[in-house]
Amino acid sequence: MSDPIDTPLVAALERLVADDGAAVLVALDFDGVLAPLVDDPTASRMTPATRAAVDRLGAHVREASGAAGAAGRARIAFVSGRDLDDLALRSLPPAGTYLVGSHGAQTGHATADGIDAVPLELTPEQTDVLAELTAALDSAVVGREGAWVQRKPSAAVLHTRTAGPADSAAAVEAADAAAARLGLDAMHGKDVVEIAVLHTSKGEALERLRTVVAHDVGAPATRVLYAGDDTTDEKAFAVLGAGDVTLKVGSGETLAEHRVADSDGVAAVLDRITDLLAV
């Protein structure tokens, strides 16, 4: 069986974990990266390979925390469009993992006792806009089989994965029109349109995490690996630079410099990082 990690990616991972005083953040999208995409979001689970690789890396990071060398400065983050509570429930993050939900609107930290989340509060005006937005999307899916609306603390999401082409196109058009009318941005992903009343992106979330991790581990800087599969992950790839590793999972155009085919490829990358940290 061929190695899913090519030579340029191996070299990039070696530079990522180089023991030069910088912190190392391994940041991962969930759906389509650690877990294959499925029609029912509540059925999403990591593959056996990614589950084992995440747990192995998490155990190594936890045991090495505070120790000298690159291993002691490594951290893990899950960065997702999912609501934070849902992300935690589906991903079962190792203790110490940073969590980013709703494309950056929600943040938290996995502890041995559960999830320590930062409360998300909307202004009265934002609450009113969210209610109007949700009502508009509810109307957009009426009579369109397979299209449905997900409610989040700061957003509403149109799902069309199981809708027919005509119904999907009509629902998306209505969602875009509602976003434009309310002065909001519509984020288009794989068979989803998410519209939030807070301005957030995975790129902004990663920039904040870079600073947080450096502060938490007492490092002068943080190098980041980010793995994503969808159009919303391109904003994360766009903010990363020299010394960072951008990893596209699957096919399609991307800003990422490296690519693996699927979740098994992600698992191989995580195992390689753990091996390099253990040296």
Side-chain angles (χ1 to χ4, degrees), residues 206-224:
L206 271 188
E207 290 184 313
R208 290 193 298 268
L209 267 180
R210 187 195 294 274
T211 301
V212 168
V213 169
H215 178 269
D216 284 355
V217 304
T222 304
R223 285 193 295 270
V224 179

Side-chain angles (χ1 to χ4, degrees), residues 244-260:
D244 299 321
V245 179
T246 49
L247 183 63
K248 169 77 170 182
V249 181
S251 60
E253 294 185 5
T254 184
L255 296 173
E257 293 188 9
H258 304 280
R259 189 188 302 267
V260 293

Side-chain angles (χ1 to χ4, degrees), residues 193-275:
V193 180
E194 178 158 345
I195 306 170
V197 298
L198 295 176
H199 176 75
T200 61
S201 76
K202 291 181 177 180
E204 292 177 3
L206 271 188
E207 290 184 313
R208 290 193 298 268
L209 267 180
R210 187 195 294 274
T211 301
V212 168
V213 169
H215 178 269
D216 284 355
V217 304
T222 304
R223 285 193 295 270
V224 179
L225 175 143
Y226 183 71
D229 74 304
D230 207 345
T231 54
T232 57
D233 297 306
E234 295 299 316
K235 292 185 177 181
F237 296 146
V239 304
L240 300 185
D244 299 321
V245 179
T246 49
L247 183 63
K248 169 77 170 182
V249 181
S251 60
E253 294 185 5
T254 184
L255 296 173
E257 293 188 9
H258 304 280
R259 189 188 302 267
V260 293
D262 51 25
S263 296
D264 285 345
V266 176
V269 168
L270 298 181
D271 280 333
R272 183 65 63 96
I273 291 173
T274 304
D275 291 341

Side-chain angles (χ1 to χ4, degrees), residues 24-89:
V24 176
L25 175 62
V26 180
L28 310 159
D29 186 17
F30 182 71
D31 295 284
V33 173
L34 295 173
L37 295 174
V38 293
D39 290 342
D40 178 4
T42 65
S44 186
R45 298 290 187 277
M46 289 190 198
T47 66
T50 53
R51 179 77 268 170
V54 164
D55 289 344
R56 179 174 177 244
L57 178 58
H60 184 80
V61 168
R62 188 166 57 251
E63 291 166 3
S65 180
R73 293 189 300 276
R75 297 293 184 270
I76 305 171
F78 294 160
V79 182
S80 175
R82 284 180 180 262
D83 168 81
L84 191 73
D85 290 339
D86 187 40
L87 173 61
L89 178 64

